[in-house]
Amino acid sequence: MEVALIVNPFASGVTDARIHAVEEELGRVALVHTVVTERAGHATELAAAATAEALVVFSGDGGFNEVLNGAPAGLPLGFVPGGGTSVLPRALGLPRDPVAATRQVADALAAGRTRTISLGRVNGRRFGFSAGIGLDAELVRRVDELGRRADGKRPGDLAYVAAAARLVAGRRGSFAPALEVQGLGRAAFALVANADPYTYAGRVPIHVAPEARFELGLDLVAPEQVRPWGLPRLLRYVFAGRGQVGAPGLLYAHDVDRIEVVCDRPLPLQADGEDLGDVETAVFEAEREAANVLV
C-alpha cells in the first residue's frame, strides 16, 4: 500500500523531527511518499495529482482546507495536526500531538477504517468545519496582517487573543446589523458550522453551534445585533458548551443544505480560517457524504 504525505513546512507545529516521526508511524503500514508545499494553493495541486491509495496531510487548517479542495473523490484522507489550532483533526477526535494522531491514522489505514463526513462549500470553496462572514472573518484577516515570524510560521494563540481584544475594543463591543440571511432576517454577522466545536482557544473548545455534526448539513448562528452588555452572555454560552442556541435575538438554522447571505456592504469572508476576501453575497451549501477520513 502506498500513502502520499503532504507536509506544510511553515505550519507552526511542523519540524523536521516531527516530519520524520510522522513518516515512521505511517511507514509501519504503508510505503510513504512525502511531498512538501512551497506556496499558497500548492497543497490543492498536490492533492489533485495524488495517485496513492490514501492521502495524509501534516499541516494546519489552511493546508487541510487546500487538500479538501483538490483531493479526488473517494480517496481516504488523514489529517495530522501541525498548526497552532488544527481544528479539523481535533474535531474528528484525534489527539493534538502529531505523532499520536498519526499512529491512529496509520492504524485506521491498516484496518481500512474510514468515517464518511459531509463538507461545506461557500461560493464554490469547500470547508471542513466552519466559515463565516463579518466578525470571525475580520479576526482572521487581522491576524494574517500581523505577518509571519522569521521562521515563516504564523503567530500563536496569544496573537489571536490580542487581535480579538482590539477588534471588540474598536467597536466598543457593539455590532450592528450588516447583512440579510435570506428567509430568516437581518444579522450583525453570520457563522456557519459543519461540526462542533466551531474552533478552539488553545485547549478550550468553542461551541458556537453545539448541534452541528460532520454527518449532517450546515448549522447557522447569526446574532441580530450585539451590544456591549450582551458580549459576556454570548461568551458564557460558547465556553460553557451551550453555544448561542436559544439566546434571544439570534437567527439559527440546523442541518440545512443551503444558506444565502446578502451583505449591506462588502464584508470579509473566511472558510476554515482562510481569508477569502470581501464579498457582497455568499451562498453556503452542504456536500453530504463528501469525504472519507481516516480516524
Side-chain angles (χ1 to χ4, degrees):
M1 180 186 299
E2 182 177 354
V3 58
L5 173 63
I6 296 178
V7 177
N8 176 7
F10 299 111
S12 59
V14 174
T15 64
D16 289 342
R18 286 177 174 171
I19 294 172
H20 180 68
V22 167
E23 290 174 327
E24 282 196 330
E25 284 295 337
L26 292 174
R28 293 189 294 107
V29 300
L31 178 64
V32 182
H33 175 60
T34 303
V35 286
V36 176
T37 61
E38 300 173 355
R39 60 187 182 280
H42 196 194
T44 298
E45 299 170 14
L46 294 172
T51 58
E53 296 166 81
L55 174 59
V56 177
V57 196
F58 184 22
S59 176
D61 286 307
F64 303 147
N65 181 271
E66 289 188 10
V67 166
L68 289 174
N69 280 278
L75 184 67
L77 304 175
F79 301 101
V80 176
T85 309
S86 296
V87 178
L88 183 57
R90 293 168 69 186
L92 286 167
L94 293 171
R96 293 186 74 182
D97 178 73
V99 179
T102 306
R103 187 172 303 120
Q104 292 190 18
V105 169
D107 290 343
L109 182 62
R113 184 177 63 247
T114 62
R115 175 182 176 184
T116 302
I117 67 170
S118 298
L119 298 174
R121 187 171 62 242
V122 56
N123 291 359
R125 176 70 173 256
R126 277 180 160 181
F127 60 91
F129 56 90
S130 71
I133 299 178
L135 176 62
D136 67 333
E138 187 173 345
L139 175 58
V140 165
R141 181 171 298 174
R142 290 194 178 200
V143 173
D144 284 347
E145 288 173 351
L146 296 176
R148 294 178 178 266
R149 306 193 304 250
D151 58 4
K153 300 181 186 292
R154 284 180 170 178
D157 288 338
L158 289 179
Y160 281 85
V161 173
R166 288 193 296 270
L167 175 58
V168 172
R171 300 284 185 86
R172 297 183 179 179
S174 179
F175 297 85
L179 54 83
E180 177 86 14
V181 181
Q182 298 295 297
L184 290 178
R186 290 182 56 73
F189 51 87
L191 310 175
V192 179
N194 189 49
D196 176 61
Y198 188 86
T199 187
Y200 290 83
R203 295 183 177 275
V204 181
I206 305 299
H207 300 284
V208 168
E211 295 181 328
R213 296 292 181 270
F214 279 118
E215 287 77 15
L216 302 178
L218 301 175
D219 280 26
L220 166 78
V221 174
E224 294 174 0
Q225 62 181 339
V226 179
R227 301 186 187 278
W229 56 85
L231 276 176
R233 172 176 52 80
L234 295 179
L235 291 174
R236 184 171 67 251
Y237 283 170
V238 299
F239 282 106
R242 291 174 54 195
Q244 300 176 48
V245 177
L250 181 79
L251 306 183
Y252 177 69
H254 171 61
D255 189 18
V256 298
D257 288 299
R258 185 179 177 90
I259 302 163
E260 297 184 41
V261 176
V262 179
C263 307
D264 296 352
R265 62 184 185 281
L267 293 176
L269 171 69
Q270 68 85 16
D272 286 345
E274 294 298 296
D275 187 350
L276 302 185
D278 289 347
V279 299
E280 294 184 2
T281 62
V283 177
F284 300 85
E285 298 170 290
E287 291 188 52
R288 296 180 185 262
E289 300 182 349
N292 294 324
V293 296
L294 295 160
V295 292

